[in-house]
Amino acid sequence: MAAQAQTSRVAKLNEREILDRPAFREALAEVADRLGRPQREAAAYAAKCLEEMAVHPEERQLDRVTRLARFMIRRSYDPVLDINSERLAQLKSLAERHPLIFLWSHKSYLDGFVFLQTLYEHDFRPQPLSFAGINMNFPVFGSLAKRSGGIFLRRSFRDDDIYRLVFRHYIDYLVERRLPLSWAIEGTRSRTGKLNPPKLGLIQWVVDACRRTGSEDALLVPVSISFDQIAEIDDHAAMQQGLPKRKESLSWFIGYIRGMQASTGRIYVRFAEPLSLSEEVHLTERLFDDDDPAERIRVQKLAFEVCSRIERATPINATDLVTLALMGASGRSLTEAEIRTQTAAVIELAAAQELPRTRTLEREAGEGLAATLAALTRTRLLEAYGGGAEPVWRIAPGKEFAAAYYRNTIIHYFLAGAFAEVALARADIGAATDRRAALRDAVLALRDLLKFEFFFRRKEAFADEAAAFLDARYPGWQHAGDPFADRPPLFGHGILRSFIEAYRVLAEVLLRAAGSGDDERLMDDCLAIGREMLLRGGIGSETALSKPLFTNAVRLARHRGLIGGADMADRDTRERFAAETAVLTGALARLQRRYDHAIGGTMAGEKQA
């Protein structure tokens, strides 16, 4: 394989030999007997399954796909991808000694093309084989993808024993050849902008194969792929609001390419520090047990560490920063100077913490902010008004979900500070004798409420980070008085409003005795009652009415035993949950008032009063 890796862009495969291996034939016979299927029929179905998933990459076809990728990227983006090339050069060297498994974030249909283009342009050999859902195996595209290294898998095959057997041996076949592999760790595109929880199935299969084939030296490579703006943002917004996902097809794909017309900035690819399987999972000689809880927890921790490294590698860009500032304004317009003040404060915090930023962030959010705002206005993400004393900007009507999406791509960097501000704004914290202890409890309670939303640091470390943020930004916050009197809130309300208000909506649904149905019914109830609460002022954020957020809220409610019967014990528990979310929405309102006052947003009459 070493010689092949140096000379050929594509792997040379002959997967049909799997069917003739004694171990496979013996295992297939056992499965057929257990299922009561004739041996010949089982063998024919196994061959069909293998043909469905197998690939025969050709360098000519790989060249065609990379030309297609380049064409698509140039329709909407800067043709030069922004890549941390030094790390990729290190990975090319590591690939000579280790099998590499690339796990990338998934924001757009373009991600796979971007990843392929990145490695192709940097002459990575052989090109990684990439796993994808079989929904992308539609006419013309599917054939081209398979002949350039795309492996299409069924979305679910847990109950198909023969398919599972074939896939296990196919994975072994690829891993024992120490071929580079890749796939989106989230399994599907993020609808909200923040990283989704990892899909563990494929990671478990590959870890299993590494153990069986003696490839314990494999390295997992986290990859962050991010965009100034993404082409299908309106689709993501529609799906958040409960509309169905559009079915992939050749006509859909052509329409997708045609729709990529507006200039939407740059694409950023960041390769994070790789993880060694042997060090992280402590592989042993025994076979991986898919149902072993201890083993599943180890693999889950491994996957979460990959996701954490992807987050920590994602650079903050100007679109993310501007939307963060304007989401904090809660629908109101801001001047260029006001937006610059807000973004400068976040950039200062990011610089102090040495967070990754795009190479042009300081310029695009500083002296070049006017050009940034103009670009975001051209793509209709922002709306400008220039008929007054000076121009002002706001999130364009109907684009709130899009703006929240971009904001969410970077909020993981600022969670501790946001949690600290929301906790500090609670009425009960101000009355506490020991504000530091009360703050810690409030931060951890909010962390527990949103435990299914984010990848958190350990409790004590997270609480310490929250307190350190307050110490730096609001000196004296532990003493009596208004902690926001001298410095306004930075971003607590702007970051967490969507999430907290979504949970507030679910609490109201449960109080109305709705919460006894299945999850889909709960989603419908949350969307309907949430709309009523928004219209009546019970919540203030359109982006709280998000199906993905309600999904995580329902998951928490089931975890806490809030969903089930309608007896009085359940009622009492639901009322406590409602009270908890009400306290937090009250804290958000206080932060918003302080923020509005600080940027001169109160009405003249209120100022005089």
Side-chain angles (χ1 to χ4, degrees), residues 198 200 203-204 280-281 286 288-305 458:
L200 300 180
I203 294 179
Q204 291 175 334
E280 297 294 330
V281 193
R286 71 177 179 81
F288 176 83
D289 183 357
D290 186 62
D291 296 319
D292 179 356
E295 187 71 20
R296 287 180 62 83
I297 289 173
R298 283 195 291 271
V299 173
Q300 183 182 57
K301 288 182 177 179
L302 176 69
F304 273 51
E305 177 59 23
R458 292 184 180 276

Side-chain angles (χ1 to χ4, degrees), residues 48 82 113 130 141 205 264 270 284 478 540 582 601:
K48 178 181 177 181
D82 189 322
F113 292 100
S130 294
F141 177 80
W205 283 93
T264 48
R270 296 292 184 269
T284 64
Q478 299 180 63

Side-chain angles (χ1 to χ4, degrees), residues 13-78:
L13 302 172
N14 180 24
E15 79 291 338
R16 294 287 300 182
E17 69 183 62
I18 296 172
L19 302 176
D20 296 325
R21 290 180 174 182
F24 176 79
R25 294 170 69 91
E26 181 180 346
L28 180 61
E30 292 176 358
V31 171
D33 288 343
R34 188 175 70 252
L35 298 177
R37 297 182 68 171
Q39 297 283 342
R40 180 173 296 181
E41 178 185 307
Y45 180 62
K48 178 181 177 181
C49 292
L50 183 60
E51 182 180 0
E52 182 181 293
M53 65 183 70
V55 294
H56 302 100
E58 304 169 12
E59 191 154 344
R60 181 180 61 179
Q61 300 301 333
L62 177 62
D63 292 342
R64 288 177 175 173
V65 173
T66 54
R67 286 199 297 270
L68 174 61
R70 192 179 302 114
F71 169 74
M72 294 174 66
I73 290 168
R74 288 181 174 179
R75 283 184 67 83
S76 288
Y77 298 96
D78 188 316

Side-chain angles (χ1 to χ4, degrees), residues 98-120:
H98 302 272
L100 299 187
I101 302 165
F102 295 90
L103 300 169
W104 32 273
S105 58
H106 201 8
K107 297 290 193 295
S108 168
Y109 282 116
L110 272 183
D111 293 328
F113 292 100
V114 169
F115 177 76
L116 180 147
Q117 181 72 12
T118 298
L119 269 62
Y120 186 91

Side-chain angles (χ1 to χ4, degrees), residues 482-591:
D482 181 1
F484 303 110
D486 297 324
R487 299 193 77 177
L490 182 57
F491 46 36
H493 57 297
I495 287 176
L496 294 177
R497 179 183 298 279
S498 303
F499 302 94
I500 291 172
E501 290 190 340
Y503 285 63
R504 180 73 189 93
V505 169
L506 176 63
E508 182 64 25
V509 169
L510 295 177
L511 281 182
R512 298 189 187 192
S516 300
D518 59 24
D519 286 1
E520 283 302 314
R521 174 63 184 273
L522 278 172
M523 295 300 105
D524 292 340
D525 289 342
C526 285
L527 289 169
I529 293 176
R531 176 62 58 182
E532 175 194 343
M533 293 174 68
L534 179 67
L535 294 173
R536 291 174 60 83
I539 60 172
S541 173
E542 175 87 18
T543 55
L545 307 184
S546 164
K547 197 167 184 179
L549 298 190
F550 290 142
T551 297
N552 286 337
V554 168
R555 185 181 174 193
L556 177 84
R558 291 198 182 281
H559 177 73
R560 290 189 176 185
L562 296 170
I563 299 175
D567 55 34
M568 289 307 296
D570 283 342
R571 178 75 184 182
D572 292 342
T573 306
R574 292 176 179 184
E575 286 180 347
R576 288 194 295 272
F577 180 58
E580 177 184 6
T581 58
V583 166
L584 292 170
T585 53
L588 290 172
R590 279 186 284 278
L591 287 176

Side-chain angles (χ1 to χ4, degrees), residues 34-334:
R34 188 175 70 252
L35 298 177
R37 297 182 68 171
Q39 297 283 342
R40 180 173 296 181
E41 178 185 307
Y45 180 62
K48 178 181 177 181
C49 292
L50 183 60
E51 182 180 0
E52 182 181 293
M53 65 183 70
V55 294
H56 302 100
E58 304 169 12
E59 191 154 344
R60 181 180 61 179
Q61 300 301 333
L62 177 62
D63 292 342
R64 288 177 175 173
V65 173
T66 54
R67 286 199 297 270
L68 174 61
R70 192 179 302 114
F71 169 74
M72 294 174 66
I73 290 168
R74 288 181 174 179
R75 283 184 67 83
S76 288
Y77 298 96
D78 188 316
V80 179
L81 302 177
D82 189 322
I83 304 164
N84 57 340
S85 303
E86 301 83 1
R87 175 58 59 80
L88 182 53
Q90 295 172 0
L91 292 172
K92 289 175 64 176
S93 178
L94 286 172
E96 297 176 3
R97 306 185 303 276
H98 302 272
L100 299 187
I101 302 165
F102 295 90
L103 300 169
W104 32 273
S105 58
H106 201 8
K107 297 290 193 295
S108 168
Y109 282 116
L110 272 183
D111 293 328
F113 292 100
V114 169
F115 177 76
L116 180 147
Q117 181 72 12
T118 298
L119 269 62
Y120 186 91
E121 287 185 348
H122 287 77
D123 200 28
F124 189 96
R125 296 172 182 252
Q127 190 80 20
L129 303 176
S130 294
F131 295 99
I134 202 167
N135 57 299
M136 296 300 293
N137 189 15
F138 49 81
V140 180
F141 177 80
S143 175
L144 184 60
K146 285 175 73 71
R147 287 186 288 165
S148 59
I151 302 171
F152 293 113
L153 299 180
R154 299 177 188 178
R155 286 297 186 182
S156 176
F157 49 86
R158 190 174 187 86
D159 297 328
D160 190 332
D161 290 350
I162 293 179
Y163 188 97
R164 284 168 57 86
L165 176 68
V166 172
F167 183 55
R168 184 173 73 107
H169 282 264
Y170 185 54
I171 290 290
D172 285 356
Y173 173 80
L174 299 177
V175 171
E176 69 189 13
R177 280 158 177 72
R178 302 174 71 80
L179 295 171
L181 305 174
S182 78
W183 68 90
I185 191 170
E186 300 166 89
T188 187
R189 293 170 301 154
S190 170
R191 312 294 192 237
T192 62
K194 66 185 182 69
L195 203 63
N196 287 327
K199 298 293 185 182
L200 300 180
L202 192 49
I203 294 179
Q204 291 175 334
W205 283 93
V206 172
V207 169
D208 184 6
C210 288
R211 179 177 295 116
R212 284 194 303 267
T213 61
S215 299
E216 294 93 337
D217 61 333
L219 301 177
L220 299 183
V221 183
V223 185
S224 165
I225 302 174
S226 59
F227 304 78
D228 281 332
Q229 298 185 66
I230 63 171
E232 63 263 44
I233 190 65
D234 290 338
D235 282 351
H236 290 329
M239 284 184 281
Q240 282 202 66
Q241 298 171 80
L243 295 179
K245 176 176 175 284
R246 290 194 292 173
K247 182 177 176 58
E248 294 85 357
S249 65
L250 180 60
S251 61
W252 161 85
F253 185 58
I254 294 172
Y256 178 82
I257 295 176
R258 285 177 174 171
M260 298 177 63
Q261 296 178 351
S263 176
T264 48
R266 287 179 294 276
I267 302 175
Y268 309 94
V269 183
R270 296 292 184 269
F271 295 90
E273 181 182 357
L275 291 79
S276 168
L277 282 183
S278 57
E279 295 175 3
E280 297 294 330
V281 193
H282 307 295
L283 297 175
T284 64
E285 292 301 321
R286 71 177 179 81
L287 289 180
F288 176 83
D289 183 357
D290 186 62
D291 296 319
D292 179 356
E295 187 71 20
R296 287 180 62 83
I297 289 173
R298 283 195 291 271
V299 173
Q300 183 182 57
K301 288 182 177 179
L302 176 69
F304 273 51
E305 177 59 23
V306 170
C307 289
S308 180
R309 294 190 186 194
I310 289 174
E311 285 191 331
R312 296 198 300 269
T314 302
I316 301 169
N317 67 46
T319 303
D320 305 334
L321 210 54
V322 168
T323 52
L324 175 61
L326 288 173
M327 290 296 287
S330 192
R332 296 167 57 253
S333 294
L334 301 181

